[in-house]
Amino acid sequence: MFTEAAAARLLRVPPSTLRRWLAVTDGRQRRSDPADGRAGPPGRRMLDWAEFVEAAYLREHRQLHRVSMTGLPIFLASLRDQFGVPHPIADRRVFTDGRAVVRKVQAAAGLHPRWWLVVTIGDRLTLTPQAAAFHRRVDWAGNTAASYRPDPNPDSPIRVRPDVRFGRPAIGGVSTETIAEHQAAGTDPETIAEMYALTPADVAWALAYESGTRPSR
């Protein structure tokens, strides 16, 4: 589980923006206590792993295409019914053998074409470039999203996993934040690599991710 504030930090968007997206795409009340369903104060409400993955997809789309989200609630609600999962964007079937269903649903929902996941090219159903890019950013275990690559660089080994470092971006089981803190304290990258049994390249990736730059070669 992620608080909205923690999820917003990971997605690098303002909490208010994330909250607005969630309100648009999911009409149900956000929860602070899974046991009793009470709503918490802003920034303390909770997202589960699948909801975080779905929010990551929304972030990528909104960064590329600042177009209307009209039709998105209907689209996602229809996918939930069709695939039987609460957060279908975190289900691999949407991107693979469920493409025919997705095409039908996105057209019926009146979704803006830039939000589409699937298009027809010739006689083939294929993913849109943004959907294909997102599919590659997720590591799948069967039809379940097992991890997410928060770095847009396709070569990045950094992953967010719900069962590693409390869902913080990590490499080799070490959070990128921890690696950056060591460097800020004056520890050189070679020493950091030795401390955590990482390679110098791992450390470079982590530092580049935390600073928002590309790793040095």
Side-chain angles (χ1 to χ4, degrees):
M1 302 291 287
F2 300 86
T3 64
E4 278 185 356
R9 284 196 299 273
L10 288 174
L11 297 173
R12 297 181 174 178
V13 298
S16 59
T17 297
L18 176 60
R19 194 173 308 121
R20 185 171 64 253
W21 292 350
L22 296 174
V24 169
T25 59
D26 188 352
R28 64 186 175 80
Q29 193 177 46
R30 313 242 65 76
R31 298 176 300 168
S32 61
D33 184 345
D36 65 15
R38 292 176 299 181
R44 300 296 299 175
R45 300 166 185 171
M46 306 303 292
L47 288 74
D48 63 25
W49 168 246
E51 193 168 21
F52 171 81
V53 172
E54 197 163 84
Y57 182 76
L58 295 178
R59 172 188 178 273
E60 292 183 27
H61 251 73
R62 289 292 287 177
Q63 283 192 326
L64 285 173
H65 308 300
R66 295 189 176 277
V67 297
S68 172
M69 298 171 80
T70 301
L72 199 57
I74 297 172
F75 173 64
L76 292 176
S78 297
L79 288 184
R80 291 183 198 113
D81 291 341
Q82 292 288 336
F83 291 94
V85 292
H87 302 291
I89 301 301
D91 190 303
R92 190 176 191 178
R93 293 174 296 170
V94 167
F95 301 92
T96 55
D97 55 329
R99 293 179 186 180
V101 172
V102 174
R103 181 184 62 172
K104 179 180 178 181
V105 168
Q106 68 191 16
L111 200 61
H112 192 290
R114 288 185 176 176
W115 281 104
W116 287 5
L117 297 175
V118 174
V119 293
T120 303
I121 298 179
D123 59 352
R124 294 176 56 248
L125 287 173
T126 187
L127 295 177
T128 61
Q130 58 267 28
F134 181 80
H135 182 256
R136 290 191 295 269
R137 286 182 78 159
V138 177
D139 296 318
W140 303 91
N143 291 322
T144 302
S147 70
Y148 169 71
R149 171 171 49 81
D151 193 327
N153 190 323
D155 296 325
S156 174
I158 296 166
R159 296 292 185 272
V160 172
R161 295 182 59 95
D163 56 348
V164 174
R165 299 301 172 196
F166 304 100
R168 290 180 293 173
I171 187 167
V174 184
S175 75
T176 56
E177 183 181 24
T178 295
I179 293 171
E181 287 172 350
H182 279 296
Q183 187 200 43
T187 308
D188 63 84
E190 292 76 14
T191 301
I192 298 173
E194 292 176 3
M195 289 170 59
Y196 292 106
L198 300 173
T199 68
D202 289 338
V203 174
W205 276 110
L207 295 176
Y209 170 74
E210 285 293 326
S211 65
T213 63
R214 296 182 68 87
S216 57
R217 296 293 184 180

